């Protein structure tokens, strides 16, 4: 069975786990600020960590539903555009400089389970599936004397990943909470070893 099919089966199984519900069944909305760290692979003897930016900030807007102690979310995530300077080289009196940039956005489907510590604190393991559109661009500039020539290329494509992690909720009241979370990929993006996400979110139930 493919890992994505196992994830779907796990999400469905959350519905059937009996336990005390800490929140009323029903929908909620949320916003999440995330710091995302990407660790790239080495491809054809090129360490991609030296080519592409790896630290991103992203905003995740999501709708969720509490069902017993389980929860399910559908979100839209959008990163900032990060750049990396590739440095400077000189060949035969011509100075070459280069840079790359990367950004992404897409959709997230998530599920998890709430384990109450007390009336105000909750621990929640969770899992997410992402479908992302990724845009990368690169610029090469050649300078000689007063003459400068630049060339830019942009490529885009889609990719998927699955991560899992642990969250800690602080319940402000019966409807609102602040959450801290950490996640790491189980099935990472192409040409990456892993993706880590640190997040802070606010959710409000209707």
């Amino acid at each position: 069975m493919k890992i994505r099919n196992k994830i779907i089966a796990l999400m469905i199984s959350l519905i059937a786990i009996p336990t005390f519900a800490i929140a009323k069944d029903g929908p909620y909305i949320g916003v999440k600020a995330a710091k995302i760290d990407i660790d790239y692979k080495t491809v054809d003897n090129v360490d991609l960590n030296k080519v592409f930016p790896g630290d991103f900030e992203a905003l995740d807007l999501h709708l969720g539903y509490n069902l017993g102690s389980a929860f399910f979310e559908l979100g839209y995530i959008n990163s900032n555009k990060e750049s990396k300077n590739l440095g400077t080289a000189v060949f035969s009196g011509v100075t070459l400089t280069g840079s790359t940039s990367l950004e992404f956005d897409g959709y997230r489907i998530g599920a998890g389970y709430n384990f109450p510590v007390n009336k105000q604190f909750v621990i929640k393991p969770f899992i997410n599936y992402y479908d992302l559109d990724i845009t990368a661009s690169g610029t090469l500039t050649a300078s000689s004397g007063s003459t400068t020539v630049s060339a830019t290329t942009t490529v885009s494509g889609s990719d998927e990943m699955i991560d899992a992690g642990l969250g800690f909720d602080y319940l402000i009241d019966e409807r609102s909470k602040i959450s801290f979370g950490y996640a790491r990929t189980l099935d990472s993006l192409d040409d990456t070893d892993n993706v880590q996400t640190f997040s802070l979110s606010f959710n409000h139930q209707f």
Side-chain angles (χ1 to χ4, degrees):
M1 183 184 294
K2 292 182 178 180
I3 188 170
R4 290 184 178 84
N5 293 336
K6 293 181 180 179
I7 298 307
I8 294 172
L10 177 61
M11 290 179 175
I12 294 174
S13 70
L14 288 172
I15 301 175
I17 301 177
T19 190
F20 175 72
I22 64 168
K24 295 181 180 179
D25 290 358
Y28 62 87
I29 58 173
V31 57
K32 179 193 301 182
K35 182 181 183 300
I36 300 174
D37 296 334
I38 300 178
D39 183 20
Y40 297 95
K41 291 181 177 179
T42 296
V43 179
D44 296 331
N45 296 320
V46 177
D47 183 358
L48 297 183
N49 289 297
K50 297 180 180 179
V51 178
F52 295 107
D55 297 327
F56 298 86
E57 295 178 353
L59 187 65
D60 179 308
L61 304 176
H62 53 270
L63 296 173
Y65 195 91
N66 289 315
L67 185 60
S69 288
F71 64 90
F72 304 88
E73 293 181 350
L74 174 63
Y76 170 75
I77 183 171
N78 186 29
S79 80
N80 63 333
K81 185 176 183 178
E82 284 292 338
S83 299
K84 189 176 186 68
N85 190 338
L86 303 182
T88 301
V90 179
F91 297 95
S92 301
V94 178
T95 301
L96 299 176
T97 58
S99 64
T100 62
S101 63
L102 191 70
E103 60 184 325
F104 56 86
D105 71 325
Y107 295 94
R108 174 181 65 86
I109 299 174
Y113 207 74
N114 294 303
F115 292 96
V117 177
N118 54 40
K119 292 183 178 181
Q120 281 193 301
F121 292 96
V122 176
I123 296 175
K124 58 176 187 183
F126 60 85
I127 195 162
N128 294 300
Y129 164 79
Y130 295 84
D131 186 358
L132 301 175
D133 292 322
I134 302 171
T135 301
S137 60
T139 300
L140 179 65
T141 300
S143 301
S144 179
S146 61
T147 302
T148 300
V149 178
S150 295
T152 300
T153 183
T154 300
V155 294
S156 60
S158 60
D159 204 351
E160 302 169 339
M161 76 175 191
I162 295 171
D163 70 11
L166 195 63
F168 301 90
D169 291 352
Y170 172 74
L171 307 181
I172 300 172
D173 54 37
E174 292 183 352
R175 295 184 177 274
S176 301
K177 64 182 179 180
I178 297 173
S179 303
F180 304 89
Y182 169 78
R184 185 183 178 96
T185 47
L186 301 175
D187 185 10
S188 197
L189 300 170
D190 289 345
D191 297 329
T192 68
D193 282 324
N194 65 78
V195 179
Q196 299 183 84
T197 302
F198 303 85
S199 63
L200 171 64
S201 61
F202 172 80
N203 292 331
H204 181 76
Q205 186 171 4
F206 297 113

